[in-house]
Amino acid sequence: MKSIIYLSAIIILLSACGEKKPTADNTDNTINPNTVTLTDAQLKNATIATGKIGLKEISSVLKLNGKIDVPPQNMVSISVPLGGYLKSTKLLPGMHVSKGEVIAVIEDQQYIQLQQDYLTAKARIRYLENEYNRQKDLNESKASSDKVFQQAEAEYRSQQVLLSSLAEKLRLIGINVGNISASKISRSVNIYSPINGFVSKVNVNIGKYVSPTEVLFELVNPTDIHLALKVYEKDLGKLYIGQKLVTYTNNEPSKKHAAAILLIAHDLSADRNADVHCHFETYDKTLVPGTYMNAEIPVKNTVAYAINNEAIVQFEGKQYIYKVIGNHQFEMTAINTGESKNGFTEILSPTKDMTSNAVYVTQGAYSLLMMMKNKAE
């Protein structure tokens, strides 16, 4: 009886051991979702090519945006130094004006008074000059006192100052003192354009009184427009004065405009960016101030680990390459990419395997991705 019980225990134990083996085999055969194994036929149809990740010369392109601006010296605000009523003007925003062209006529009674004062002072100075010369001769011959001579001299000198100041006031409002006389007194003055350009703003209407501090028109000379780019602090070290770049508008991205960096600001805004001013190599009248533009600036070449563009696949918002891990077996590896040039893309922060002798798929990576997706489904 004891022998039968002992034999039964051995049989049960052996049966239990036999049931565990399939479990162990199942653990060993667990499929890695990031790997794919191809048959000979699949490998042939996928046209897989492999190679190592090597060092390549990569030139990066800094992409920026900004808008067209005009230097302060090319923007002119037109005002009237003494004020007055706007008698006439034909200006409209966008209208072209030429240097020296009459752009407005202002009239006021003070212009009449100013010319009257000048002509009166001019007539009186002749009398005072003669009186000064007469008293000078008398004083030298001791025929008059020093006091009388000094008084005549003071009046003459004061009248000279008055005449000069009135002449400058007339020139300030655009009246030529050589053209006025007792029979030629004007109640209006002409406002002339100081530059060649176009009208950007018209702030007045005919009949309105304008004060000396009020701006009538704003003119812009567009021949010296420049592009003001916003550059973040981390990218400022990549730029230098004279550096070449190409720019384009959102409306015409295929039309490129060559430019060069003219000035790099040395102060940062609250957003940690600085203004970089660029000058266009050729003036294009279709570019107007305020237009937003994009810019591409090639920066210094760098040597970095790079792989063929065909080796990189996109999956669930990330980028991957395939590492050869065995016979017809490949493992998907995540990477971070940088700049691309001549069919190669820079790999940022490569792993030790990538910089050693590990072999990766350089062609046919997309076929591997499709097979992995089919396997998952």
Side-chain angles (χ1 to χ4, degrees):
M1 185 67 179
K2 290 182 178 180
S3 299
I4 294 173
I5 295 173
Y6 180 72
L7 182 59
S8 299
I10 293 176
I11 292 172
I12 293 171
L13 181 62
L14 291 175
S15 299
C17 293
E19 290 176 356
K20 290 181 180 179
K21 286 183 180 180
T23 303
D25 291 343
N26 289 338
T27 303
D28 293 339
N29 293 333
T30 300
I31 299 174
N32 185 347
N34 291 327
T35 63
V36 59
T37 303
L38 305 184
T39 64
D40 291 338
Q42 288 176 325
L43 186 64
K44 183 178 180 181
N45 293 332
T47 62
I48 300 294
T50 60
K52 297 178 181 179
I53 297 176
L55 291 172
K56 299 288 182 181
E57 189 178 76
I58 302 293
S59 64
S60 58
V61 176
L62 186 61
K63 296 184 178 181
L64 305 169
N65 55 69
K67 68 177 181 177
I68 297 177
D69 201 359
V70 179
Q73 62 269 24
N74 283 44
M75 299 181 65
V76 180
S77 297
I78 305 297
S79 59
V80 183
L82 297 183
Y85 293 91
L86 180 62
K87 181 180 180 180
S88 64
T89 184
K90 295 181 180 180
L91 294 190
L92 293 173
M95 183 180 293
H96 182 271
V97 292
S98 302
K99 185 175 182 180
E101 176 185 350
V102 177
I103 58 177
V105 178
I106 304 292
E107 63 179 10
D108 197 82
Q109 62 178 0
Q110 63 180 320
Y111 304 145
I112 300 174
Q113 185 64 49
L114 191 57
Q115 294 170 82
Q116 176 186 339
D117 294 343
Y118 174 78
L119 292 174
T120 301
K122 186 177 180 181
R124 178 170 171 75
I125 200 172
R126 294 173 184 171
Y127 163 76
L128 293 176
E129 184 180 8
N130 292 333
E131 180 65 16
Y132 165 71
N133 291 329
R134 189 171 70 86
Q135 291 297 331
K136 182 179 180 181
D137 293 338
L138 292 174
N139 184 260
E140 289 177 353
S141 62
K142 303 300 180 180
S144 68
S145 64
D146 291 342
K147 181 179 179 180
V148 174
F149 168 68
Q150 290 171 357
Q151 184 177 357
E153 181 181 20
E155 291 179 356
Y156 173 60
R157 301 300 183 195
S158 298
Q159 195 69 12
Q160 283 183 316
V161 173
L162 176 61
L163 187 65
S164 297
S165 65
L166 290 171
E168 288 302 317
K169 286 182 179 180
L170 289 171
R171 294 189 185 98
L172 183 64
I173 61 176
I175 295 178
N176 187 345
V177 295
N179 293 336
I180 63 174
S181 63
S183 60
K184 293 177 63 177
I185 295 179
S186 175
R187 65 180 183 181
S188 61
V189 295
N190 295 332
I191 306 298
Y192 301 93
S193 173
I195 62 170
N196 293 315
F198 63 88
V199 182
S200 61
K201 290 183 181 180
V202 177
N203 301 321
V204 292
N205 55 271
I206 295 176
K208 180 180 179 181
Y209 180 84
V210 291
S211 64
T213 58
E214 191 170 353
V215 176
L216 281 70
F217 316 104
E218 291 186 11
L219 309 180
V220 175
N221 179 5
T223 58
D224 195 29
I225 59 175
H226 65 264
L227 178 61
L229 298 173
K230 294 293 184 181
V231 182
Y232 285 103
E233 179 183 9
K234 64 181 181 64
D235 295 322
L236 283 174
K238 303 175 183 178
L239 306 180
Y240 58 88
I241 293 176
Q243 191 170 8
K244 303 294 183 181
L245 63 146
V246 293
T247 66
Y248 55 92
T249 63
N250 291 329
N251 294 331
E252 293 184 285
S254 61
K255 186 177 181 180
K256 307 296 183 182
H257 304 270
I261 294 178
L262 181 66
L263 179 67
I264 300 175
H266 294 284
D267 57 325
L268 298 174
S269 67
D271 297 329
R272 309 304 296 173
N273 59 47
D275 289 330
V276 174
H277 298 277
C278 308
H279 190 270
F280 294 100
E281 294 185 355
T282 304
Y283 168 64
D284 188 340
K285 63 181 180 180
T286 62
L287 299 177
V288 296
T291 302
Y292 285 94
M293 297 193 76
N294 303 303
E296 295 180 355
I297 307 177
V299 295
K300 186 177 180 181
N301 291 353
T302 58
V303 176
Y305 284 95
I307 195 168
N308 195 315
N309 292 342
E310 297 182 13
I312 303 173
V313 295
Q314 300 277 348
F315 181 63
E316 294 182 348
K318 295 182 180 180
Q319 294 176 308
Y320 297 91
I321 57 176
Y322 283 93
K323 178 183 177 183
V324 180
I325 59 175
N327 187 23
H328 301 354
Q329 193 172 19
F330 309 92
E331 181 180 24
M332 189 167 66
T333 304
I335 59 170
N336 293 318
T337 60
E339 300 294 334
S340 297
K341 182 183 179 183
N342 298 332
F344 286 86
T345 298
E346 175 187 5
I347 296 179
L348 302 176
S349 303
T351 63
K352 186 176 180 180
D353 284 347
M354 297 177 186
T355 59
S356 61
N357 293 325
V359 178
Y360 291 84
V361 172
T362 58
Q363 183 178 348
Y366 186 76
S367 298
L368 294 178
L369 179 63
M370 292 299 98
M371 293 177 186
M372 286 187 64
K373 287 183 177 181
N374 292 335
K375 181 181 69 173
E377 294 173 355

